[in-house]
Amino acid sequence: HGIEAGDAPAVDLEAERKAGALVRKLHGARLIRAAHDLSDGGLMVSLCEVALASQNRTIGALCEREEQVTPEWLFAEGPSRVIVTVSPAVMDDFEQAAESAGIPIDWIGTTGGKGVGFRSVFSVSHEEMADAYDHGLERALGIHPVSD
């Protein structure tokens, strides 16, 4: 994306503590299925990492937000931000726990599919993500892998 702008965001240690405590509490209560912080690469990188880490690289994500799909929204690395997956069956309990902890939440989409997509804006398949992950550095450095 080629954007380098501004200083690193300020860290609010109390917000960081609250977010971490809530994630641990929700995990212990089995109200979340997965969690990933957004501090290294932002939302898009986190979604791709989770998709690539899924068993046999078979779980994807579909984000419903077309109006917010900007480079800043996709790649912002602000602190105290976490993406979680929540079963629809426990959504009310999840929302109540977050509200009680004073943590704002924003529903952005669903898991499933064969990659990571942002409705009509763009999508990337598991194969494309895996290829970039497995061979991206080699390509960037102009190194050609040795065949077996």
Side-chain angles (χ1 to χ4, degrees):
H1 56 27
I3 297 172
E4 291 183 29
D7 293 327
V11 176
D12 179 340
L13 294 178
E14 181 59 19
E16 189 71 27
R17 184 196 65 73
K18 285 172 51 177
L22 178 62
V23 169
R24 287 188 302 278
K25 176 183 175 182
L26 294 172
H27 179 264
R30 300 191 179 276
L31 293 179
I32 58 175
R33 292 181 173 176
H36 195 299
D37 75 294
L38 305 185
S39 65
D40 189 15
L43 176 64
M44 184 63 190
V45 171
S46 295
L47 289 173
C48 290
E49 287 176 349
V50 170
L52 287 173
S54 70
Q55 185 177 20
N56 299 321
R57 295 180 170 169
T58 57
I59 297 176
L62 177 61
C63 294
E64 307 288 340
R65 295 297 204 54
E66 293 181 24
E67 72 279 0
Q68 289 181 324
V69 181
T70 64
E72 294 82 6
W73 188 73
L74 290 173
F75 298 104
E77 296 179 330
S80 310
R81 296 173 59 224
V82 180
I83 188 161
V84 298
T85 57
V86 179
S87 168
V90 298
M91 183 64 78
D92 290 340
D93 294 333
F94 169 80
E95 290 176 346
Q96 184 177 18
E99 184 177 336
S100 294
I103 304 287
I105 59 171
D106 189 14
W107 182 85
I108 62 168
T110 59
T111 58
K114 299 184 182 218
V116 174
F118 290 83
R119 277 290 174 210
S120 62
V121 180
F122 73 89
S123 65
V124 59
S125 70
H126 277 96
E127 292 79 18
E128 292 170 303
M129 287 185 286
D131 183 61
Y133 180 81
D134 294 337
H135 304 291
L137 182 59
E138 296 163 347
R139 285 194 193 102
L141 296 175
I143 299 170
H144 301 286
V146 177
S147 299
D148 293 336

